[in-house]
C-alpha cells in the first residue's frame, strides 16, 4: 500500500512567527545575515559564505551577468542560467569575474542600419538612452558610433531614418584604449576633462570593450556587503545539467565560476548521483556543486550521500511552475522545507557535516523569506522576485500605463530547456511545466533588496535573534487558520483610495 504522510502539506502563507524576548542589543544594525553556501565540517569554516541569504534562480529570465554583478554587490550570489550554449554561459561567468566597478558591458547595441523607430522601441524596453552602434550590432563588435537622445529629434525626423545618418561617428568620439585606461580613476579623469557622459573603451581593433558612465562611478563604500573572492572579483555561480557536464563544467571552471548547481525540476535521481560523482572525481572535491530539488528527508539523504555541497528544496511551488498541475508531484513548500531541514540537522549530528539548505521557489511576500529562514533554510533561491528588477535580462513593457517585465519558466516552450525536465531518451520537452508571464516592474535591485533585508532584520529582532543560526533556534512558528489570515490584513475598513476621496 502507498505511503501517506500524516500531515497535510502547507505553504508559507499558512504560518506566522510568534515574537520572543528581545534585549536592548536586538537592533537591526546588529543583525548579521551571513550564511554558508556550501557544506563544511563541524568546527571549520565553509569555503564559501554569503553576506545575505539570497541567490537568484537559474533561469533565462533572471540570472545573467548583469544580475550576478548587482546581486554580488549586495552580498548574494546569482546562478547564471545553464539553458544556453556552453560558450555563452561561460562568457557570462567570465564577464562577472572580469567586471571592474564602473566598467560596464554595453547592453543596448544597434547596427548602423537600425532605424529611429527601432531605437525608440529599444529605449522604451531598456530605458538606456546611450546606444553603441557596432558593425554587427553585438556588445563587442567594431564600434562605429554612439547614439544618444541628443542625436535625434523625433518630431522632425522620419522613423525610417537609419542610425548611420545621425549617430555621432567614431572619429568624432572621445574614446579610450583598453590597454591605456585600466582604472576607474583614469577613466573618470577623461570623463571630467572632456565633459563626457560616457567614455567608450575599445581594443586595438576598435572593438567595444566597456562603457564607463559618469553616473556609474561608485566607491566600494556603497557596497558594504559585497561578495568577493580573494582576488577581489565578484563571486558567481552557474547552472549545469545532468547531460553535458563533462564539457560544460570545465568550461565554467575555466571562466572562473565559484560554485555550480545542478538545475533539475526533480533531483532524487541516479542522474544527479552520477553527475556529482563525475565532477568530484574528475575536477576534485574543491569544486562545489549544489543539487536538487527534493521535498523530503529521504531525498535529502540521497543527495547528501551522493556528495552534494548544498541541497535545494522545492517542487512545484515556483510562481511560473505548473508541475503540480501537469504531473501531480510536489509538496507544500513550508512542509517540504521543515522536513528536509530536520533531516539536515540529523545528518549533521551523525556525521559532523553541515549541508546548507536552499529554499527554492514560492516566495510571494518578503515575510515568506523570513519564515523560510526561521524554518531552517540557510538561503533562498528567488525567481519572480529578481525578475522584476532593472537588472533582469528581460524586456520591460508598458501596458495601460503600467510597466511590467517578462518572466517565463524554464519548463515553458519559450525556454526550450529539455535538459532540466527530460528523464532520459526524449531529448525534447514533451509537455510544458512552466508558463510565460509578466510581473510588475519594481525598479533597481539594490533598493528592493535593501528594503526586504530591513524587514527580515527587524523580524529577527522581534524574535530576539542577531544571527541566522540563533533565529532558527529561537523561532516559534504557528500555523494560522483561514479566518486568522483574513484578520492579518486590513479588514472591515474601506481604504481611502478605494472611496475616491482626497
Ligand atoms: P519563484 O521564485 O516562485 O518564481 O520560483 C523560481 C523557481 O521555480 C526556480 O528557481 C525553479 O526552481 C522553479 N522553476 C523554474 N522554471 C520552472 C518551470 O518552468 N516550471 N520552475
Amino acid at each position: 500500500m502507498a505511503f501517506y504522510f500524516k500531515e497535510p502539506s502547507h505553504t508559507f502563507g499558512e504560518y506566522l512567527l510568534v515574537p520572543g524576548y528581545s534585549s536592548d542589543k536586538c537592533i537591526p544594525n546588529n543583525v548579521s545575515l551571513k550564511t554558508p553556501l556550501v557544506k563544511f565540517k563541524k568546527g571549520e569554516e565553509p569555503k564559501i559564505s554569503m553576506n545575505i541569504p539570497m541567490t537568484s534562480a537559474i533561469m533565462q529570465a533572471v540570472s545573467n551577468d548583469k544580475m550576478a554583478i548587482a546581486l554580488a554587490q549586495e552580498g548574494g550570489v546569482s546562478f547564471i542560467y545553464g539553458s544556453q550554449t556552453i560558450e555563452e554561459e561561460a562568457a557570462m561567468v567570465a564577464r562577472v569575474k572580469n567586471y571592474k566597478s564602473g566598467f560596464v558591458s554595453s547592453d543596448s547595441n544597434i547596427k548602423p542600419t537600425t532605424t529611429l523607430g527601432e531605437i525608440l522601441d529599444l529605449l522604451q524596453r531598456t530605458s538606456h538612452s546611450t546606444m553603441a552602434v557596432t558593425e554587427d550590432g553585438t556588445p563587442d563588435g567594431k564600434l562605429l558610433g554612439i547614439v544618444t537622445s541628443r542625436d535625434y529629434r523625433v518630431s522632425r525626423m522620419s522613423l525610417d531614418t537609419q542610425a548611420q545618418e545621425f549617430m555621432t561617428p567614431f572619429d568624432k568620439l572621445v574614446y579610450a584604449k583598453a590597454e591605456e585606461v585600466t582604472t576607474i580613476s583614469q577613466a573618470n579623469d577623461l570623463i571630467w576633462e572632456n565633459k563626457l557622459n560616457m567614455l567608450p573603451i575599445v581594443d586595438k581593433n576598435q572593438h567595444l570593450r566597456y562603457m564607463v558612465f559618469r553616473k556609474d562611478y561608485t566607491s566600494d563604500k556603497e557596497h558594504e556587503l559585497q561578495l568577493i573572492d580573494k582576488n577581489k572579483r565578484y563571486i558567481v555561480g552557474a547552472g549545469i545539467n545532468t547531460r553535458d557536464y563533462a564539457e560544460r563544467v570545465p568550461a565554467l571552471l575555466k571562466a572562473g565560476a565559484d560554485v555550480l548547481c545542478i538545475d533539475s525540476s526533480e533531483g532524487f535521481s541516479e542522474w544527479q548521483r552520477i553527475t556529482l560523482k563525475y565532477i568530484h572525481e574528475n575536477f576534485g572535491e574543491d569544486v562545489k556543486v549544489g543539487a536538487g530539488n527534493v521535498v523530503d528527508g529521504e531525498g535529502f539523504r540521497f543527495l547528501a550521500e551522493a556528495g552534494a555541497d548544498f541541497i535545494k528544496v522545492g517542487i512545484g511551488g515556483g510562481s511560473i511552475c505548473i508541475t503540480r498541475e501537469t504531473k501531480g508531484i510536489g509538496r507544500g513548500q513550508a512542509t517540504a522545507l521543515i522536513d528536509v531541514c530536520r533531516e539536515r540537522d540529523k545528518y549533521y549530528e551523525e556525521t559532523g557535516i553541515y549541508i546548507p539548505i536552499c529554499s527554492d521557489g514560492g516566495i510571494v511576500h518578503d515575510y515568506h523569506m523570513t519564515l523560510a529562514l526561521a524554518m531552517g533554510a540557510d538561503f533562498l533561491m528567488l525567481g519572480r522576485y529578481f525578475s522584476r528588477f532593472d537588472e533582469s535580462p528581460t524586456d520591460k513593457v508598458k501596458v495601460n500605463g503600467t510597466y511590467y517585465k517578462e518572466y517565463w519558466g524554464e519548463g515553458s516552450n519559450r525556454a526550450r530547456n529539455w535538459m532540466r525536465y527530460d528523464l532520459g531518451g526524449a531529448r525534447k520537452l514533451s509537455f510544458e511545466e512552466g508558463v510565460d508571464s509578466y510581473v510588475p516592474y519594481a525598479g533597481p535591485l539594490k533598493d528592493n533588496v535593501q528594503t526586504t533585508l530591513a524587514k527580515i532584520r527587524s523580524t529577527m529582532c522581534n524574535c530576539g535573534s542577531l544571527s541566522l543560526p540563533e533565529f532558527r533556534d529561537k523561532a516559534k512558528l504557528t500555523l494560522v487558520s483561514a479566518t486568522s489570515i483574513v484578520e492579518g490584513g486590513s479588514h472591515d475598513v474601506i481604504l481611502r483610495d478605494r472611496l475616491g476621496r482626497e
Side-chain angles (χ1 to χ4, degrees):
M1 196 188 156
F3 173 79
Y4 289 87
F5 286 92
K6 287 203 188 73
E7 259 185 79
S9 65
H10 296 288
T11 63
F12 293 126
E14 293 170 82
Y15 281 92
L16 282 177
L17 279 155
V18 175
Y21 165 74
S22 38
S23 75
D24 56 357
K25 305 259 174 335
C26 270
I27 55 167
N29 269 350
N30 289 344
V31 171
S32 160
L33 294 174
K34 195 167 174 188
T35 194
L37 177 60
V38 295
K39 74 180 174 198
F40 59 94
K41 284 201 187 109
K42 199 175 188 164
E44 290 179 5
E45 281 291 307
K47 195 177 161 219
I48 313 173
S49 294
M50 294 189 286
N51 292 330
I52 65 169
M54 285 184 180
T55 61
S56 70
I58 315 169
M59 296 174 73
Q60 294 171 4
V62 182
S63 298
N64 64 353
D65 44 319
K66 196 168 174 192
M67 175 64 70
I69 291 164
L71 183 51
Q73 286 176 335
E74 297 312 306
V77 170
S78 285
F79 284 85
I80 305 283
Y81 62 93
S83 51
Q84 56 181 329
T85 65
I86 295 174
E87 295 72 30
E88 285 165 344
E89 189 183 9
M92 281 191 182
V93 169
R95 282 204 287 277
V96 181
K97 296 311 283 184
N98 296 333
Y99 177 81
K100 284 188 282 183
S101 183
F103 287 68
V104 297
S105 300
S106 164
D107 64 0
S108 278
N109 308 291
I110 52 177
K111 290 186 191 167
T113 51
T114 306
T115 63
L116 178 57
E118 290 165 334
I119 289 174
L120 295 176
D121 278 350
L122 185 62
L123 174 65
Q124 161 98 298
R125 291 203 305 269
T126 62
S127 310
H128 296 154
S129 56
T130 303
M131 298 175 195
V133 187
T134 55
E135 203 167 50
D136 56 0
T138 61
D140 47 13
K142 185 168 183 193
L143 184 65
L144 301 180
I146 295 288
V147 167
T148 71
S149 45
R150 284 192 237 155
D151 295 315
Y152 53 80
R153 285 180 81 179
V154 178
S155 57
R156 302 240 175 130
M157 285 165 62
S158 152
L159 291 182
D160 292 330
T161 321
Q162 296 188 342
Q164 56 197 349
E165 296 171 46
F166 57 87
M167 68 185 183
T168 306
F170 185 73
D171 56 14
K172 298 239 168 66
L173 289 175
V174 177
Y175 64 91
K177 292 190 177 145
E179 61 274 22
E180 287 166 11
V181 171
T182 54
T183 67
I184 192 74
S185 78
Q186 288 172 318
N188 261 292
D189 288 347
L190 282 172
I191 285 174
W192 282 93
E193 277 160 27
N194 295 286
K195 299 195 167 94
L196 303 175
N197 274 327
M198 188 278 288
L199 175 74
I201 301 195
V202 296
D203 66 14
K204 51 183 180 314
N205 298 319
Q206 203 180 308
H207 282 239
L208 183 60
R209 292 284 302 278
Y210 303 108
M211 310 211 283
V212 180
F213 289 87
R214 171 188 287 257
K215 62 177 188 300
D216 266 355
Y217 178 60
T218 51
S219 71
D220 282 354
K221 259 209 141 78
E222 266 186 67
H223 306 301
E224 280 172 0
L225 292 178
Q226 66 179 353
L227 199 62
I228 48 176
D229 63 20
K230 59 181 185 317
N231 297 317
K232 298 204 165 167
R233 300 176 309 175
Y234 288 125
I235 299 241
V236 62
I240 58 170
N241 60 69
T242 53
R243 303 301 168 109
D244 63 11
Y245 48 84
E247 297 86 44
R248 193 173 289 267
V249 170
L252 294 171
L253 295 176
K254 189 162 171 239
D258 297 278
V259 53
L260 306 172
C261 183
I262 306 175
D263 181 31
S264 165
S265 59
E266 199 272 290
F268 191 172
S269 85
E270 190 59 15
W271 302 112
Q272 298 234 344
R273 204 183 59 77
I274 295 171
T275 306
L276 288 164
K277 187 163 180 271
Y278 181 91
I279 297 174
H280 285 139
E281 277 179 8
N282 288 277
F283 306 110
E285 289 293 325
D286 261 1
V287 174
K288 302 296 171 197
V289 195
N293 287 8
V294 296
V295 285
D296 68 359
E298 205 184 339
F300 169 88
R301 261 294 146 169
F302 174 79
L303 290 179
E305 282 161 7
D309 287 289
F310 66 85
I311 291 174
K312 282 205 292 140
V313 178
I315 294 178
S319 57
I320 32 47
C321 183
I322 50 169
T323 294
R324 293 185 197 167
E325 284 170 10
T326 48
K327 292 177 68 180
I329 58 165
R331 199 174 187 193
Q333 184 65 10
T335 305
L337 182 62
I338 295 166
D339 193 358
V340 173
C341 289
R342 203 172 279 140
E343 197 65 21
R344 183 257 333 262
D345 293 345
K346 235 165 97 189
Y347 186 81
Y348 181 53
E349 257 174 45
E350 287 166 24
T351 63
I353 297 169
Y354 187 88
I355 303 182
I357 297 298
C358 168
S359 177
D360 177 16
I363 297 288
V364 181
H365 302 293
D366 287 348
Y367 85 90
H368 290 172
M369 298 189 208
T370 319
L371 287 175
L373 296 167
M375 288 168 182
D378 294 275
F379 58 96
L380 313 156
M381 180 166 273
L382 307 149
R384 190 195 61 86
Y385 178 81
F386 286 113
S387 69
R388 301 169 306 145
F389 304 153
D390 286 322
E391 292 81 357
S392 78
T394 70
D395 285 343
K396 188 165 118 190
V397 294
K398 195 172 178 183
V399 183
N400 297 333
T402 306
Y403 283 106
Y404 297 88
K405 289 212 61 161
E406 297 178 308
Y407 179 41
W408 60 92
E410 288 295 301
S412 68
N413 277 336
R414 184 167 179 181
R416 299 190 177 281
N417 185 358
W418 61 268
M419 292 198 243
R420 185 173 200 269
Y421 295 91
D422 178 34
L423 289 174
R427 294 192 162 257
K428 68 180 175 55
L429 210 57
S430 316
F431 50 87
E432 286 189 293
E433 291 190 41
V435 296
D436 190 353
S437 68
Y438 291 107
V439 287
Y441 163 68
L445 176 144
K446 185 183 171 78
D447 298 354
N448 284 279
V449 165
Q450 290 194 353
T451 305
T452 301
L453 296 179
K455 292 183 199 169
I456 295 176
R457 288 193 186 98
S458 175
T459 306
M460 284 172 64
C461 287
N462 295 134
C463 298
S465 312
L466 292 174
S467 72
L468 289 174
E470 188 179 12
F471 186 40
R472 283 204 283 279
D473 283 351
K474 288 190 173 169
K476 296 183 282 183
L477 287 140
T478 178
L479 267 170
V480 287
S481 69
T483 40
S484 74
I485 292 175
V486 176
E487 184 187 61
S490 63
H491 60 92
D492 302 303
V493 293
I494 303 165
L495 295 178
R496 195 174 275 268
D497 55 359
R498 299 255 169 90
L499 206 57
R501 292 195 66 199
E502 288 291 297

